[in-house]
Amino acid sequence: MEIFPGTGVHLVQVGDRRTEVESRIGGPVHDRSSKNVYDTAPMLIIHYAQDDRVELVEIGYSGSGGEEVFFDGVQLTYRFMDEVVSDLAAKGHAGTPSDIGVTFQAGFSVWSMGSLWAGDLDPEADEDDERSIVEGVSVAPYSYWDEG
């Protein structure tokens, strides 16, 4: 699934109304009013503002051969964070580190919650390997993070 920085993905874009989103992808499998999880591949987590418009689109990793998230020819999810950041930097996309990942001025963030470990990608990794794996991507205008 390709992201459109600052905007979203093909199925859901910042500013879409909840009714529009659900007419395209169906209802949520987990409804938490402002943050809903949808059964798509890869999984989408949509954050809604009080006016029921999309303010943030999150896309989770699939892993094990499932569909992953891409931008500018770079696979973002289910890869080592350092490799993703390096590949994006080589294409001119600068990022700012955060507590769980890296935010890019183009309007997206890659992150890890630490639920995967290096051995999931590298069978030769030892148990002390601290490399983080990108587990998800958040897409919104950069101001979403810059003002936060």
Side-chain angles (χ1 to χ4, degrees):
M1 179 177 285
E2 186 79 16
I3 65 163
F4 305 110
T7 304
V9 295
H10 177 71
L11 294 171
V12 181
Q13 297 188 359
V14 172
D16 286 352
R17 293 189 178 279
R18 184 188 307 250
T19 54
E20 296 169 343
V21 170
E22 294 182 359
S23 72
R24 286 192 295 270
I25 63 175
V29 292
H30 297 289
D31 185 345
R32 296 186 177 107
S33 68
S34 66
K35 180 178 170 181
N36 293 314
V37 178
Y38 294 89
D39 186 21
T40 56
M43 181 176 52
L44 294 174
I45 303 162
I46 310 300
H47 296 244
Y48 294 98
Q50 287 185 344
D51 66 358
D52 257 2
R53 289 186 180 271
V54 175
E55 66 178 354
L56 177 77
V57 178
E58 291 184 303
I59 312 102
Y61 76 95
S62 292
S64 302
E67 185 175 357
E68 298 301 339
V69 182
F70 291 82
F71 169 62
D72 198 11
V74 175
Q75 180 178 328
L76 303 177
T77 53
Y78 207 61
R79 289 186 62 213
F80 289 114
M81 180 79 66
D82 291 346
E83 293 174 1
V84 170
V85 171
S86 176
D87 287 353
L88 289 169
K91 290 183 171 261
H93 304 289
T96 304
S98 70
D99 57 341
I100 62 169
V102 179
T103 302
F104 294 86
Q105 286 190 343
F108 68 100
S109 178
V110 295
W111 46 266
S112 173
M113 298 305 291
S115 63
L116 297 174
W117 76 285
D120 290 322
L121 291 182
D122 180 358
E124 296 185 18
D126 64 40
E127 60 188 47
D128 295 328
D129 193 323
E130 295 183 4
R131 291 177 291 174
S132 63
I133 297 171
V134 177
E135 297 174 26
V137 177
S138 298
V139 182
Y142 183 71
S143 61
Y144 180 88
W145 293 281
D146 195 37
E147 296 171 1

mmCIF file with all atom_site columns, all heavy atoms in Angstrom, residues 12-31:
data_model
loop_
_atom_site.group_PDB
_atom_site.id
_atom_site.type_symbol
_atom_site.label_atom_id
_atom_site.label_alt_id
_atom_site.label_comp_id
_atom_site.label_asym_id
_atom_site.label_entity_id
_atom_site.label_seq_id
_atom_site.pdbx_PDB_ins_code
_atom_site.Cartn_x
_atom_site.Cartn_y
_atom_site.Cartn_z
_atom_site.occupancy
_atom_site.B_iso_or_equiv
_atom_site.pdbx_formal_charge
_atom_site.auth_seq_id
_atom_site.auth_comp_id
_atom_site.auth_asym_id
_atom_site.auth_atom_id
_atom_site.pdbx_PDB_model_num
ATOM 1   N N   . VAL A 1 12 ? -8.287  6.069  2.076  1.00 0.00 ? 12 VAL A N   1
ATOM 2   C CA  . VAL A 1 12 ? -8.670  7.026  3.117  1.00 0.00 ? 12 VAL A CA  1
ATOM 3   C C   . VAL A 1 12 ? -7.714  8.214  3.095  1.00 0.00 ? 12 VAL A C   1
ATOM 4   O O   . VAL A 1 12 ? -6.495  8.022  3.117  1.00 0.00 ? 12 VAL A O   1
ATOM 5   C CB  . VAL A 1 12 ? -8.622  6.380  4.521  1.00 0.00 ? 12 VAL A CB  1
ATOM 6   C CG1 . VAL A 1 12 ? -9.047  7.376  5.585  1.00 0.00 ? 12 VAL A CG1 1
ATOM 7   C CG2 . VAL A 1 12 ? -9.459  5.126  4.581  1.00 0.00 ? 12 VAL A CG2 1
ATOM 8   N N   . GLN A 1 13 ? -8.285  9.408  3.094  1.00 0.00 ? 13 GLN A N   1
ATOM 9   C CA  . GLN A 1 13 ? -7.447  10.604 3.100  1.00 0.00 ? 13 GLN A CA  1
ATOM 10  C C   . GLN A 1 13 ? -7.896  11.566 4.197  1.00 0.00 ? 13 GLN A C   1
ATOM 11  O O   . GLN A 1 13 ? -9.076  11.595 4.572  1.00 0.00 ? 13 GLN A O   1
ATOM 12  C CB  . GLN A 1 13 ? -7.494  11.273 1.736  1.00 0.00 ? 13 GLN A CB  1
ATOM 13  C CG  . GLN A 1 13 ? -6.921  10.362 0.673  1.00 0.00 ? 13 GLN A CG  1
ATOM 14  C CD  . GLN A 1 13 ? -6.757  11.024 -0.663 1.00 0.00 ? 13 GLN A CD  1
ATOM 15  O OE1 . GLN A 1 13 ? -7.081  12.185 -0.856 1.00 0.00 ? 13 GLN A OE1 1
ATOM 16  N NE2 . GLN A 1 13 ? -6.228  10.274 -1.611 1.00 0.00 ? 13 GLN A NE2 1
ATOM 17  N N   . VAL A 1 14 ? -6.912  12.316 4.693  1.00 0.00 ? 14 VAL A N   1
ATOM 18  C CA  . VAL A 1 14 ? -7.194  13.331 5.701  1.00 0.00 ? 14 VAL A CA  1
ATOM 19  C C   . VAL A 1 14 ? -8.285  14.259 5.160  1.00 0.00 ? 14 VAL A C   1
ATOM 20  O O   . VAL A 1 14 ? -8.236  14.681 4.007  1.00 0.00 ? 14 VAL A O   1
ATOM 21  C CB  . VAL A 1 14 ? -5.908  14.121 6.047  1.00 0.00 ? 14 VAL A CB  1
ATOM 22  C CG1 . VAL A 1 14 ? -6.221  15.311 6.939  1.00 0.00 ? 14 VAL A CG1 1
ATOM 23  C CG2 . VAL A 1 14 ? -4.885  13.203 6.709  1.00 0.00 ? 14 VAL A CG2 1
ATOM 24  N N   . GLY A 1 15 ? -9.279  14.519 5.995  1.00 0.00 ? 15 GLY A N   1
ATOM 25  C CA  . GLY A 1 15 ? -10.400 15.374 5.605  1.00 0.00 ? 15 GLY A CA  1
ATOM 26  C C   . GLY A 1 15 ? -11.630 14.610 5.169  1.00 0.00 ? 15 GLY A C   1
ATOM 27  O O   . GLY A 1 15 ? -12.730 15.169 5.132  1.00 0.00 ? 15 GLY A O   1
ATOM 28  N N   . ASP A 1 16 ? -11.484 13.313 4.830  1.00 0.00 ? 16 ASP A N   1
ATOM 29  C CA  . ASP A 1 16 ? -12.656 12.506 4.468  1.00 0.00 ? 16 ASP A CA  1
ATOM 30  C C   . ASP A 1 16 ? -13.604 12.407 5.658  1.00 0.00 ? 16 ASP A C   1
ATOM 31  O O   . ASP A 1 16 ? -13.177 12.337 6.806  1.00 0.00 ? 16 ASP A O   1
ATOM 32  C CB  . ASP A 1 16 ? -12.254 11.073 4.090  1.00 0.00 ? 16 ASP A CB  1
ATOM 33  C CG  . ASP A 1 16 ? -11.593 10.950 2.734  1.00 0.00 ? 16 ASP A CG  1
ATOM 34  O OD1 . ASP A 1 16 ? -11.567 11.947 1.977  1.00 0.00 ? 16 ASP A OD1 1
ATOM 35  O OD2 . ASP A 1 16 ? -11.086 9.847  2.427  1.00 0.00 ? 16 ASP A OD2 1
ATOM 36  N N   . ARG A 1 17 ? -14.881 12.359 5.373  1.00 0.00 ? 17 ARG A N   1
ATOM 37  C CA  . ARG A 1 17 ? -15.886 12.137 6.421  1.00 0.00 ? 17 ARG A CA  1
ATOM 38  C C   . ARG A 1 17 ? -15.946 10.646 6.764  1.00 0.00 ? 17 ARG A C   1
ATOM 39  O O   . ARG A 1 17 ? -15.736 9.795  5.905  1.00 0.00 ? 17 ARG A O   1
ATOM 40  C CB  . ARG A 1 17 ? -17.257 12.603 5.964  1.00 0.00 ? 17 ARG A CB  1
ATOM 41  C CG  . ARG A 1 17 ? -17.360 14.091 5.788  1.00 0.00 ? 17 ARG A CG  1
ATOM 42  C CD  . ARG A 1 17 ? -18.819 14.494 5.535  1.00 0.00 ? 17 ARG A CD  1
ATOM 43  N NE  . ARG A 1 17 ? -18.935 15.918 5.421  1.00 0.00 ? 17 ARG A NE  1
ATOM 44  C CZ  . ARG A 1 17 ? -18.989 16.756 6.452  1.00 0.00 ? 17 ARG A CZ  1
ATOM 45  N NH1 . ARG A 1 17 ? -18.931 16.284 7.665  1.00 0.00 ? 17 ARG A NH1 1
ATOM 46  N NH2 . ARG A 1 17 ? -19.088 18.063 6.261  1.00 0.00 ? 17 ARG A NH2 1
ATOM 47  N N   . ARG A 1 18 ? -16.264 10.358 8.013  1.00 0.00 ? 18 ARG A N   1
ATOM 48  C CA  . ARG A 1 18 ? -16.371 8.964  8.465  1.00 0.00 ? 18 ARG A CA  1
ATOM 49  C C   . ARG A 1 18 ? -17.336 8.177  7.578  1.00 0.00 ? 18 ARG A C   1
ATOM 50  O O   . ARG A 1 18 ? -17.061 7.030  7.220  1.00 0.00 ? 18 ARG A O   1
ATOM 51  C CB  . ARG A 1 18 ? -16.846 8.930  9.920  1.00 0.00 ? 18 ARG A CB  1
ATOM 52  C CG  . ARG A 1 18 ? -16.890 7.532  10.509 1.00 0.00 ? 18 ARG A CG  1
ATOM 53  C CD  . ARG A 1 18 ? -17.554 7.494  11.879 1.00 0.00 ? 18 ARG A CD  1
ATOM 54  N NE  . ARG A 1 18 ? -16.980 8.433  12.807 1.00 0.00 ? 18 ARG A NE  1
ATOM 55  C CZ  . ARG A 1 18 ? -16.247 8.106  13.863 1.00 0.00 ? 18 ARG A CZ  1
ATOM 56  N NH1 . ARG A 1 18 ? -16.021 6.840  14.132 1.00 0.00 ? 18 ARG A NH1 1
ATOM 57  N NH2 . ARG A 1 18 ? -15.776 9.027  14.675 1.00 0.00 ? 18 ARG A NH2 1
ATOM 58  N N   . THR A 1 19 ? -18.451 8.759  7.194  1.00 0.00 ? 19 THR A N   1
ATOM 59  C CA  . THR A 1 19 ? -19.422 8.047  6.359  1.00 0.00 ? 19 THR A CA  1
ATOM 60  C C   . THR A 1 19 ? -18.826 7.688  5.001  1.00 0.00 ? 19 THR A C   1
ATOM 61  O O   . THR A 1 19 ? -19.111 6.618  4.468  1.00 0.00 ? 19 THR A O   1
ATOM 62  C CB  . THR A 1 19 ? -20.712 8.877  6.176  1.00 0.00 ? 19 THR A CB  1
ATOM 63  O OG1 . THR A 1 19 ? -20.367 10.179 5.669  1.00 0.00 ? 19 THR A OG1 1
ATOM 64  C CG2 . THR A 1 19 ? -21.472 9.007  7.484  1.00 0.00 ? 19 THR A CG2 1
ATOM 65  N N   . GLU A 1 20 ? -17.993 8.582  4.446  1.00 0.00 ? 20 GLU A N   1
ATOM 66  C CA  . GLU A 1 20 ? -17.334 8.300  3.168  1.00 0.00 ? 20 GLU A CA  1
ATOM 67  C C   . GLU A 1 20 ? -16.359 7.142  3.316  1.00 0.00 ? 20 GLU A C   1
ATOM 68  O O   . GLU A 1 20 ? -16.314 6.244  2.478  1.00 0.00 ? 20 GLU A O   1
ATOM 69  C CB  . GLU A 1 20 ? -16.554 9.528  2.675  1.00 0.00 ? 20 GLU A CB  1
ATOM 70  C CG  . GLU A 1 20 ? -17.384 10.736 2.357  1.00 0.00 ? 20 GLU A CG  1
ATOM 71  C CD  . GLU A 1 20 ? -16.538 11.979 2.138  1.00 0.00 ? 20 GLU A CD  1
ATOM 72  O OE1 . GLU A 1 20 ? -15.344 11.997 2.527  1.00 0.00 ? 20 GLU A OE1 1
ATOM 73  O OE2 . GLU A 1 20 ? -17.073 12.955 1.580  1.00 0.00 ? 20 GLU A OE2 1
ATOM 74  N N   . VAL A 1 21 ? -15.568 7.184  4.384  1.00 0.00 ? 21 VAL A N   1
ATOM 75  C CA  . VAL A 1 21 ? -14.586 6.121  4.638  1.00 0.00 ? 21 VAL A CA  1
ATOM 76  C C   . VAL A 1 21 ? -15.291 4.781  4.752  1.00 0.00 ? 21 VAL A C   1
ATOM 77  O O   . VAL A 1 21 ? -14.913 3.798  4.102  1.00 0.00 ? 21 VAL A O   1
ATOM 78  C CB  . VAL A 1 21 ? -13.773 6.416  5.925  1.00 0.00 ? 21 VAL A CB  1
ATOM 79  C CG1 . VAL A 1 21 ? -12.934 5.213  6.323  1.00 0.00 ? 21 VAL A CG1 1
ATOM 80  C CG2 . VAL A 1 21 ? -12.921 7.656  5.744  1.00 0.00 ? 21 VAL A CG2 1
ATOM 81  N N   . GLU A 1 22 ? -16.332 4.723  5.569  1.00 0.00 ? 22 GLU A N   1
ATOM 82  C CA  . GLU A 1 22 ? -17.004 3.451  5.818  1.00 0.00 ? 22 GLU A CA  1
ATOM 83  C C   . GLU A 1 22 ? -17.811 2.970  4.625  1.00 0.00 ? 22 GLU A C   1
ATOM 84  O O   . GLU A 1 22 ? -18.042 1.770  4.482  1.00 0.00 ? 22 GLU A O   1
ATOM 85  C CB  . GLU A 1 22 ? -17.807 3.548  7.106  1.00 0.00 ? 22 GLU A CB  1
ATOM 86  C CG  . GLU A 1 22 ? -16.850 3.710  8.275  1.00 0.00 ? 22 GLU A CG  1
ATOM 87  C CD  . GLU A 1 22 ? -17.494 3.773  9.646  1.00 0.00 ? 22 GLU A CD  1
ATOM 88  O OE1 . GLU A 1 22 ? -18.743 3.707  9.750  1.00 0.00 ? 22 GLU A OE1 1
ATOM 89  O OE2 . GLU A 1 22 ? -16.723 3.878  10.624 1.00 0.00 ? 22 GLU A OE2 1
ATOM 90  N N   . SER A 1 23 ? -18.198 3.865  3.720  1.00 0.00 ? 23 SER A N   1
ATOM 91  C CA  . SER A 1 23 ? -18.866 3.412  2.493  1.00 0.00 ? 23 SER A CA  1
ATOM 92  C C   . SER A 1 23 ? -17.856 2.723  1.568  1.00 0.00 ? 23 SER A C   1
ATOM 93  O O   . SER A 1 23 ? -18.224 1.854  0.781  1.00 0.00 ? 23 SER A O   1
ATOM 94  C CB  . SER A 1 23 ? -19.555 4.572  1.772  1.00 0.00 ? 23 SER A CB  1
ATOM 95  O OG  . SER A 1 23 ? -18.613 5.429  1.174  1.00 0.00 ? 23 SER A OG  1
ATOM 96  N N   . ARG A 1 24 ? -16.559 3.097  1.692  1.00 0.00 ? 24 ARG A N   1
ATOM 97  C CA  . ARG A 1 24 ? -15.516 2.482  0.868  1.00 0.00 ? 24 ARG A CA  1
ATOM 98  C C   . ARG A 1 24 ? -14.955 1.206  1.480  1.00 0.00 ? 24 ARG A C   1
ATOM 99  O O   . ARG A 1 24 ? -14.664 0.248  0.768  1.00 0.00 ? 24 ARG A O   1
ATOM 100 C CB  . ARG A 1 24 ? -14.369 3.476  0.638  1.00 0.00 ? 24 ARG A CB  1
ATOM 101 C CG  . ARG A 1 24 ? -14.680 4.567  -0.330 1.00 0.00 ? 24 ARG A CG  1
ATOM 102 C CD  . ARG A 1 24 ? -13.429 5.336  -0.740 1.00 0.00 ? 24 ARG A CD  1
ATOM 103 N NE  . ARG A 1 24 ? -12.808 6.064  0.353  1.00 0.00 ? 24 ARG A NE  1
ATOM 104 C CZ  . ARG A 1 24 ? -13.083 7.318  0.704  1.00 0.00 ? 24 ARG A CZ  1
ATOM 105 N NH1 . ARG A 1 24 ? -14.011 7.990  0.045  1.00 0.00 ? 24 ARG A NH1 1
ATOM 106 N NH2 . ARG A 1 24 ? -12.450 7.896  1.699  1.00 0.00 ? 24 ARG A NH2 1
ATOM 107 N N   . ILE A 1 25 ? -14.727 1.201  2.792  1.00 0.00 ? 25 ILE A N   1
ATOM 108 C CA  . ILE A 1 25 ? -14.013 0.053  3.392  1.00 0.00 ? 25 ILE A CA  1
ATOM 109 C C   . ILE A 1 25 ? -14.831 -0.726 4.418  1.00 0.00 ? 25 ILE A C   1
ATOM 110 O O   . ILE A 1 25 ? -14.348 -1.690 4.980  1.00 0.00 ? 25 ILE A O   1
ATOM 111 C CB  . ILE A 1 25 ? -12.670 0.495  4.028  1.00 0.00 ? 25 ILE A CB  1
ATOM 112 C CG1 . ILE A 1 25 ? -12.874 1.460  5.185  1.00 0.00 ? 25 ILE A CG1 1
ATOM 113 C CG2 . ILE A 1 25 ? -11.752 1.092  2.979  1.00 0.00 ? 25 ILE A CG2 1
ATOM 114 C CD1 . ILE A 1 25 ? -11.579 1.823  5.911  1.00 0.00 ? 25 ILE A CD1 1
ATOM 115 N N   . GLY A 1 26 ? -16.055 -0.314 4.665  1.00 0.00 ? 26 GLY A N   1
ATOM 116 C CA  . GLY A 1 26 ? -16.899 -1.006 5.638  1.00 0.00 ? 26 GLY A CA  1
ATOM 117 C C   . GLY A 1 26 ? -16.701 -0.425 7.033  1.00 0.00 ? 26 GLY A C   1
ATOM 118 O O   . GLY A 1 26 ? -15.867 0.439  7.260  1.00 0.00 ? 26 GLY A O   1
ATOM 119 N N   . GLY A 1 27 ? -17.488 -0.932 7.951  1.00 0.00 ? 27 GLY A N   1
ATOM 120 C CA  . GLY A 1 27 ? -17.430 -0.455 9.327  1.00 0.00 ? 27 GLY A CA  1
ATOM 121 C C   . GLY A 1 27 ? -16.195 -0.954 10.055 1.00 0.00 ? 27 GLY A C   1
ATOM 122 O O   . GLY A 1 27 ? -15.536 -1.898 9.628  1.00 0.00 ? 27 GLY A O   1
ATOM 123 N N   . PRO A 1 28 ? -15.885 -0.330 11.164 1.00 0.00 ? 28 PRO A N   1
ATOM 124 C CA  . PRO A 1 28 ? -14.696 -0.724 11.929 1.00 0.00 ? 28 PRO A CA  1
ATOM 125 C C   . PRO A 1 28 ? -14.893 -2.047 12.654 1.00 0.00 ? 28 PRO A C   1
ATOM 126 O O   . PRO A 1 28 ? -16.022 -2.402 13.011 1.00 0.00 ? 28 PRO A O   1
ATOM 127 C CB  . PRO A 1 28 ? -14.524 0.420  12.923 1.00 0.00 ? 28 PRO A CB  1
ATOM 128 C CG  . PRO A 1 28 ? -15.907 0.957  13.121 1.00 0.00 ? 28 PRO A CG  1
ATOM 129 C CD  . PRO A 1 28 ? -16.592 0.798  11.795 1.00 0.00 ? 28 PRO A CD  1
ATOM 130 N N   . VAL A 1 29 ? -13.786 -2.759 12.864 1.00 0.00 ? 29 VAL A N   1
ATOM 131 C CA  . VAL A 1 29 ? -13.841 -3.980 13.677 1.00 0.00 ? 29 VAL A CA  1
ATOM 132 C C   . VAL A 1 29 ? -13.670 -3.625 15.149 1.00 0.00 ? 29 VAL A C   1
ATOM 133 O O   . VAL A 1 29 ? -14.065 -4.401 16.018 1.00 0.00 ? 29 VAL A O   1
ATOM 134 C CB  . VAL A 1 29 ? -12.795 -5.041 13.238 1.00 0.00 ? 29 VAL A CB  1
ATOM 135 C CG1 . VAL A 1 29 ? -13.156 -5.584 11.863 1.00 0.00 ? 29 VAL A CG1 1
ATOM 136 C CG2 . VAL A 1 29 ? -11.389 -4.495 13.245 1.00 0.00 ? 29 VAL A CG2 1
ATOM 137 N N   . HIS A 1 30 ? -13.085 -2.464 15.421 1.00 0.00 ? 30 HIS A N   1
ATOM 138 C CA  . HIS A 1 30 ? -12.981 -1.915 16.775 1.00 0.00 ? 30 HIS A CA  1
ATOM 139 C C   . HIS A 1 30 ? -13.341 -0.443 16.682 1.00 0.00 ? 30 HIS A C   1
ATOM 140 O O   . HIS A 1 30 ? -12.658 0.317  16.008 1.00 0.00 ? 30 HIS A O   1
ATOM 141 C CB  . HIS A 1 30 ? -11.565 -2.063 17.360 1.00 0.00 ? 30 HIS A CB  1
ATOM 142 C CG  . HIS A 1 30 ? -11.132 -3.478 17.517 1.00 0.00 ? 30 HIS A CG  1
ATOM 143 N ND1 . HIS A 1 30 ? -11.667 -4.317 18.469 1.00 0.00 ? 30 HIS A ND1 1
ATOM 144 C CD2 . HIS A 1 30 ? -10.224 -4.207 16.847 1.00 0.00 ? 30 HIS A CD2 1
ATOM 145 C CE1 . HIS A 1 30 ? -11.089 -5.504 18.370 1.00 0.00 ? 30 HIS A CE1 1
ATOM 146 N NE2 . HIS A 1 30 ? -10.219 -5.468 17.376 1.00 0.00 ? 30 HIS A NE2 1
ATOM 147 N N   . ASP A 1 31 ? -14.416 -0.055 17.357 1.00 0.00 ? 31 ASP A N   1
ATOM 148 C CA  . ASP A 1 31 ? -14.889 1.321  17.313 1.00 0.00 ? 31 ASP A CA  1
ATOM 149 C C   . ASP A 1 31 ? -14.591 1.990  18.646 1.00 0.00 ? 31 ASP A C   1
ATOM 150 O O   . ASP A 1 31 ? -15.155 1.630  19.667 1.00 0.00 ? 31 ASP A O   1
ATOM 151 C CB  . ASP A 1 31 ? -16.387 1.340  17.043 1.00 0.00 ? 31 ASP A CB  1
ATOM 152 C CG  . ASP A 1 31 ? -16.937 2.737  16.856 1.00 0.00 ? 31 ASP A CG  1
ATOM 153 O OD1 . ASP A 1 31 ? -16.250 3.709  17.205 1.00 0.00 ? 31 ASP A OD1 1
ATOM 154 O OD2 . ASP A 1 31 ? -18.072 2.847  16.358 1.00 0.00 ? 31 ASP A OD2 1
#
